[in-house]
């Protein structure tokens, strides 16, 4: 009897596995259509300059408006896109869309300085089509130097040489490079010195501990100190509380991003309004109006 129920259970298990496999196959077919059918979206999350509070730019975060399953997050489909190689085409779309958005902003906003950061995975960095995609769509004028590429730190360690030459090429084209989720991976502060980069983004797990965990504050202080000495900018990720924001200001962090400062937003207009509502130079407080008596 025990054997039978074991068998029943394993059949159930097989069925579930099979269902999952079918699901995955279907998703892969769907994903192949997502680009051509215009189902991909970029949501924009503001990145704030901590010195004066102005919006420096945004990070573009990929979403998939699936016809049946609704709005999907990167964790729902980026791993599959990487395994299947579809990430290369998806990445081309992301870059083209970011350039298009920058062109629009720079042609409609007076004295625009906004940047867009796009995420690039290992597979894309190793693929020559990334550089093609960047070059093909790059606008002339200031918009053409307003793109950043975010790469994860482990990508740089594991595949240093191939990765580095792509990053060098991007920088030659006027594209800036940020190391994403720094501190979470295996690379050390010392390694940071060898990377061809412009910014580091401190992983949100360290930011979460600010004001609560001494070790996290020490790590963040260390990254900021190192970055400063290298002339590299520091962005804090995942800022959710005023306590964290205060700690970051105190530690001299350049800029920050997180739910406290603005959620990823589908409405580009909302990002622009935010940028307009926070002036690039601090406004002098107006003299208090004293009514004449
Ligand atoms: P990431 O590049 O580190 O992006 C930041 C993630 O943290 C985003 O998740 C964002 O929504 C989330 N986040 C922002 N502020 C906060 C906060 O205050 N608290 C918390 N808990 N989370 C916050 P999302 O959009 O789900 O993206 C997840 C990851 O997917 C990204 O991590 C990035 O590695 C990857 N990804 C996103 N877009 C693309 C893309 O176009 N291409 C590739 N290859 N990967 C992408
Ligand atoms: Mg990122
Ligand atoms: Mg990140
Ligand atoms: Mg992350």
């Amino acid at each position: 009897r025990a054997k039978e129920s074991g068998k029943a259970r394993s059949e159930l298990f097989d069925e579930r596995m099979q269902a999952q496999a079918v699901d995955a196959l279907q998703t892969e077919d769907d994903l192949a259509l997502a680009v051509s059918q215009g189902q991909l979206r970029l949501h924009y999350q503001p990145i704030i300059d901590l010195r004066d509070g102005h919006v420096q730019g945004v990070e573009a975060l990929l979403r998939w408006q699936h016809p049946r399953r609704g709005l999907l997050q990167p964790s729902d489909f980026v791993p599959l896109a990487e395994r299947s190689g579809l990430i290369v085409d998806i990445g081309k779309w992301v870059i083209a869309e970011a350039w298009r958005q920058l062109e629009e902003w720079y042609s409609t906003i007076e004295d625009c300085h906004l940047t867009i950061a796009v995420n690039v995975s290992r597979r894309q960095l190793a693929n020559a089509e990334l550089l093609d995609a960047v070059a093909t769509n790059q606008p002339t004028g200031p918009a053409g130097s307003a793109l950043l590429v975010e790469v994860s730190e482990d990508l740089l360690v594991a595949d240093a040489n191939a990765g580095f030459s792509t990053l060098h090429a991007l920088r030659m084209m006027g594209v800036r490079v940020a190391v994403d989720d720094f501190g979470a991976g295996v690379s050390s502060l010392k390694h940071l010195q060898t990377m061809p980069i412009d910014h580091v983004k401190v992983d949100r797990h360290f930011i979460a501990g600010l004001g609560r965990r001494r070790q996290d504050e020490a790590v963040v202080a260390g990254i900021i100190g190192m970055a400063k000495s290298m002339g590299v900018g520091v962005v804090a990720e995942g800022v959710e509380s005023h306590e964290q924001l205060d700690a970051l200001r105190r530690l001299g962090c350049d800029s920050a991003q997180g739910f406290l400062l603005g959620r990823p937003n589908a409405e580009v207009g909302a990002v622009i309004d935010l940028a307009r509502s926070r002036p690039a130079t601090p406004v002098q407080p107006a003299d208090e109006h004293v009514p004449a008596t």
Side-chain angles (χ1 to χ4, degrees):
R1 286 207 52 184
K3 208 174 178 183
E4 254 169 47
S5 71
K7 191 174 169 231
R9 224 179 292 141
S10 79
E11 268 168 13
L12 207 85
F13 183 67
D14 284 348
E15 266 171 41
R16 211 182 300 144
M17 292 280 282
Q18 213 174 357
Q20 274 174 6
V22 170
D23 226 38
L25 278 177
Q26 194 161 30
T27 308
E28 189 171 336
D29 282 347
D30 289 354
L31 190 55
L33 290 174
V35 179
S36 59
Q37 310 228 335
Q39 295 165 4
L40 297 179
R41 309 273 181 270
L42 292 181
H43 284 192
Y44 294 104
Q45 185 177 34
I47 299 172
I48 311 293
D49 188 321
L50 287 181
R51 287 163 311 179
D52 59 18
H54 86 274
V55 178
Q56 293 181 319
V58 295
E59 177 172 6
L61 295 160
L62 187 61
R63 303 288 183 262
W64 177 11
Q65 187 64 59
H66 192 283
R68 293 182 313 280
R69 296 165 63 199
L71 189 70
L72 302 183
Q73 305 289 315
S75 57
D76 298 322
F77 65 93
V78 166
L80 173 69
E82 282 173 357
R83 279 198 303 277
S84 62
L86 287 166
I87 194 69
V88 173
D89 278 343
I90 291 174
K92 284 194 211 168
W93 177 84
V94 169
I95 286 164
E97 178 60 15
W99 278 138
R100 189 200 62 72
Q101 189 60 69
L102 283 169
E103 235 178 336
E104 188 188 308
W105 284 344
Y106 278 75
S107 64
T108 54
I109 301 170
E110 203 181 321
D111 195 26
C112 187
H113 295 283
L114 291 169
T115 56
I116 296 182
V118 297
N119 292 282
V120 164
S121 62
R122 171 195 296 272
R123 185 132 183 193
Q124 291 173 269
L125 204 64
N127 191 302
E129 291 182 54
L130 175 69
L131 294 176
D132 283 349
V134 170
T136 306
N137 302 289
Q138 188 169 25
T140 54
S145 49
L147 187 71
L148 280 86
V149 159
E150 296 190 1
V151 295
S152 78
E153 64 167 326
D154 50 310
L155 189 148
L156 295 174
V157 179
D159 192 22
N161 291 327
F164 279 22
S165 63
T166 308
L167 297 185
H168 280 300
L170 284 168
R171 294 175 90 211
M172 293 290 288
M173 297 166 77
V175 174
R176 278 164 279 175
V177 174
V179 179
D180 209 349
D181 306 330
F182 189 79
V186 291
S187 83
S188 65
L189 281 179
K190 190 164 163 273
H191 192 86
L192 196 61
Q193 280 178 312
T194 66
M195 298 178 182
I197 56 167
D198 302 283
H199 302 273
V200 285
K201 300 189 74 171
V202 184
D203 190 75
R204 70 181 160 83
H205 294 102
F206 298 112
I207 306 304
L210 288 183
R212 288 190 290 121
R213 281 169 49 94
R214 275 252 183 99
Q215 307 96 295
D216 287 346
E217 184 145 334
V219 170
V220 177
I223 296 172
I224 292 172
M226 183 78 169
K228 287 252 152 94
S229 74
M230 293 167 53
V232 160
V234 189
V235 185
E237 294 193 284
V239 178
E240 293 181 353
S241 74
H242 286 285
E243 190 184 17
Q244 292 160 2
L245 195 62
D246 290 344
L248 289 166
R249 284 215 173 90
R250 179 160 42 78
L251 294 172
C253 188
D254 299 312
S255 25
Q257 169 184 5
F259 294 164
L260 179 73
L261 303 163
R263 291 195 171 249
N265 202 315
E267 299 303 322
V268 163
V271 175
I272 295 304
D273 288 346
L274 194 63
R276 287 208 174 102
S277 69
R278 298 190 210 211
T281 47
V283 183
Q284 293 299 316
D287 285 345
E288 198 152 291
H289 178 69
V290 183
T293 46

